[in-house]
Structure formats: C-alpha cells, structure tokens
Amino acid sequence: MKLTSKGRYAVMALVDLARFNNINPVSLRDISLRQGISLDYLEQIFSKLRKKEIVQSVRGTQGGYILNKKTNEIKLTNIFEAVDEKVKTVQCKKESKKSCNGKTVKCLTHNLWDELENHINNFFDEKSLEDLVKDNSERRI
Amino acid sequence: MKLTSKGRYAVMALVDLARFNNINPVSLRDISLRQGISLDYLEQIFSKLRKKEIVQSVRGTQGGYILNKKTNEIKLTNIFEAVDEKVKTVQCKKESKKSCNGKTVKCLTHNLWDELENHINNFFDEKSLEDLVKDNSERRI
DNA sequence: AGATACTTGACTATTTTAGTCGGGTTTATA
DNA sequence: TATAAACCCGACTAAAATAGTCAAGTATCT
C-alpha cells in the first residue's frame, strides 16, 4: 500500500500555493520550480483541482491559480478525491465476484478492509490545508 | 493508495488457515480452492510467511501449513511485513533528494506522511489474526 | 513406487504510474 | 497590436509494479 506521487504532489502544490496565495495568483511554473515537480504533470493535477472547485484559474500573463476556498475548508479528503487518489482497500466489492459482493456474501476479511478504509479516511477528513500550512509557518522557503 | 492483492491474499489465507488449523496441517490446495487464490501465487506468499516464522510447513502427503504462533500473537503488521507489503507514504526520504532527506531538509508535507504512516501502522499493530477469526466465528464456510 | 504437497527460481502479461508532447486559447503589457 | 506568459486539453509513452504462470525440483506418507 502506498500513496502515489499524484496525491503527494497535489498536496505539496496546494500547500505551496496556500503559502504564496496572499496577493497574486501563483503560477504553476513557480510551484514547479519550488517543489521540483514537472510542469506538465502539475497542469494535469491542477486541471482536476479546478474541476472540483478547489482552485480557480486566472489566465493570461501574470495569471496562475488561487485557492477557491479557505484553507480550513479544504480537507485532504477533498484533494485526494479530486485527483482520483482513492483509498480503496477492498477489491472484493466488485460485482462479478461470487465470493464477496459486500452484502449477501462477504469474504473472510471484508469487514477488516472496511474498517481500515474508515480509519484512513477519518485521518484525511480531519486534516485540512490550514493544518499543513501552520506546520510550515516558521519556514522561510 | 491501495492495498495490493498480495497483502490481502496473505491475510485471507491466514484467516482460512487459522480456522482449519485445529488438528491437521492445511494444504495450500485447499486454501486455494476455498479462497479462490491461484495455487502458484499462494506458494510464493507462504514461502515468505514461513521465512518470517509465521507458519510452519509439513512436507509430504497430508502435509500443509500450520500456524507457528497463537492467533493473538500474529498482528497484521507481521503479516504485511512478511510479504513485503509496506506502508510507505513518503518517498521524499530517499537519500538522493536534496529537497527532503527527512532530517536537515524536509519537504512541505513531510510531517504529514509521517503522521499518516503512524496512523495506519497503529491500526495494523492492534489487529490480530484472532480478531479476524472471531469476526467470522459464526460462519459455516 | 507413486501420489501428495512443499520449494525455488525464472519468466511474463497486464496494469498502473508518472510523466512527455504538441497543440491550442486567453490576457496583460510594452 | 504583437508578444510573451500562462492556462488548457487530449493523446501518447517509458518504466515500474503487480499478479500471476511455469518448470523442475525435494520430502514424506501409504
């Protein structure tokens, strides 16, 4: 089990964005340079973040992205959801499987994965961008 | 983030094994049939479980595997460790990265992934095979 | 002897991931 | 109004991980 780069990048980029969000839009080029993430890849990620209304875009020169909500309103859950990073521990839910459909027939470990999913999701539900920004408040860069 | 089949299979197989463990060794063939897991794949998995002394093998006819410890002594952590299913959320720890080595220089989200890792590991540390067997104690098959 | 079952290592198809690439469109500003 | 900065979008691709398969053993019971 591991978190993929897409999710990690999304969070890193948003923390970066949140920290420089004060006055002007922040360009992906800047985030790319500061965080060492490929610009092309960032564009894919921000396209999804925009569709889920986590950020707003400002086109043209001096353009970039701004947060669309307050930092305490953006939970990690929202971010992961936006970039399709799903916490799916249970594959046994698939319709086709006769040994486990989650309802009438459950595999030996079905409840376990359900519990785990909840456990992780609780963590993500509680953590907001604000928390992460505060964690880094004493930093220069 | 998702749990891979190897880890899920390992847990399923061990729950199955624990339930039929009473008298005789349980053959992988039986587990394969009951749980719908490829026999060849199970062999790989049990080879690792044996090396970590979670199970013992009994060769020859009527052979199979038996648990090497009490069910309450086998934590999910042990199982995942054995089959190389690591909860690694943080790739930024890699030595080569200048932006984050975990010590002198930390990336913006380093603490977050550390926390998450602990959160998940706590869950796995507490859950034992015994708990899972009890969950299924009312089942026939 | 033969069948059952573990043991081991190498091989492979599929899927996922982490990008890249090439072409746009929009807008500030010189 | 030309230009450059920046967003926008879809298709493509190399590399890695995953989930197996396969072949050739060895041990042990009956």
Side-chain angles (χ1 to χ4, degrees), chain A residues 42-63:
Chain A
L42 272 179
E43 284 181 344
Q44 281 185 42
I45 291 168
F46 272 76
S47 164
K48 294 182 176 190
L49 294 174
R50 186 172 57 82
K51 276 168 192 157
K52 294 293 171 138
E53 300 178 326
I54 291 171
V55 297
Q56 267 192 334
S57 66
V58 179
R59 303 186 71 159
T61 324
Q62 307 297 347

Side-chain angles (χ1 to χ4, degrees), chain B residues 22 24 28 33 43 67 73 76 84 87 93 135 138:
Chain B
N22 309 318
N24 300 315
L28 293 190
L33 290 173
E43 287 179 340
L67 290 181
E73 287 168 350
L76 290 205
D84 305 319
V87 176
K93 274 178 183 169
D135 267 359
E138 77 287 356

Side-chain angles (χ1 to χ4, degrees), chain A residues 109-138:
Chain A
T109 50
H110 188 89
N111 291 336
L112 171 69
W113 311 124
D114 256 8
E115 262 186 80
L116 174 60
E117 251 179 53
N118 289 335
H119 187 71
I120 296 174
N121 282 326
N122 286 344
F123 181 85
F124 288 148
D125 282 342
E126 280 164 21
K127 268 290 190 252
S128 74
L129 209 50
E130 188 181 33
D131 300 327
L132 300 181
V133 173
K134 276 184 183 165
D135 267 359
N136 293 290
S137 58
E138 77 287 355

Side-chain angles (χ1 to χ4, degrees), chain A residues 107-110 112-113 116, chain B residues 3-19 31 35 37 42 45-46 49 54 67 74-81 83 85 124 127-129 131-133 136:
Chain A
C107 69
L108 287 174
T109 50
H110 188 89
L112 171 69
W113 311 124
L116 174 60
Chain B
L3 206 61
T4 67
S5 287
K6 187 149 60 182
R8 286 192 301 111
Y9 288 168
V11 177
M12 285 174 69
L14 283 174
V15 174
D16 185 293
L17 175 52
R19 298 177 79 223
I31 296 179
Q35 302 304 325
I37 304 169
L42 272 180
I45 292 169
F46 272 76
L49 293 174
I54 291 171
L67 290 181
I74 303 176
K75 306 295 185 184
L76 290 205
T77 304
N78 309 135
I79 302 174
F80 287 129
E81 223 166 61
V83 299
E85 188 93 308
F124 288 146
K127 269 287 191 252
S128 75
L129 209 50
D131 300 327
L132 299 181
V133 174
N136 292 290

Side-chain angles (χ1 to χ4, degrees), chain B residues 78-131:
Chain B
N78 309 135
I79 302 174
F80 287 129
E81 223 166 61
V83 299
D84 305 319
E85 188 93 308
K86 1 180 196 312
V87 176
K88 72 168 175 186
T89 53
V90 196
Q91 288 193 320
C92 51
K93 274 178 183 169
K94 283 179 187 163
E95 298 300 329
S96 57
K97 299 237 174 175
K98 282 186 185 174
S99 57
C100 186
N101 58 22
K103 292 180 180 178
T104 50
V105 190
K106 289 186 184 177
C107 70
L108 288 173
T109 51
H110 187 91
N111 292 334
L112 171 68
W113 312 124
D114 254 8
E115 260 186 83
L116 174 60
E117 252 179 52
N118 289 335
H119 187 71
I120 296 174
N121 282 326
N122 286 344
F123 181 85
F124 288 146
D125 282 341
E126 281 163 22
K127 269 287 191 252
S128 75
L129 209 50
E130 186 181 35
D131 300 327

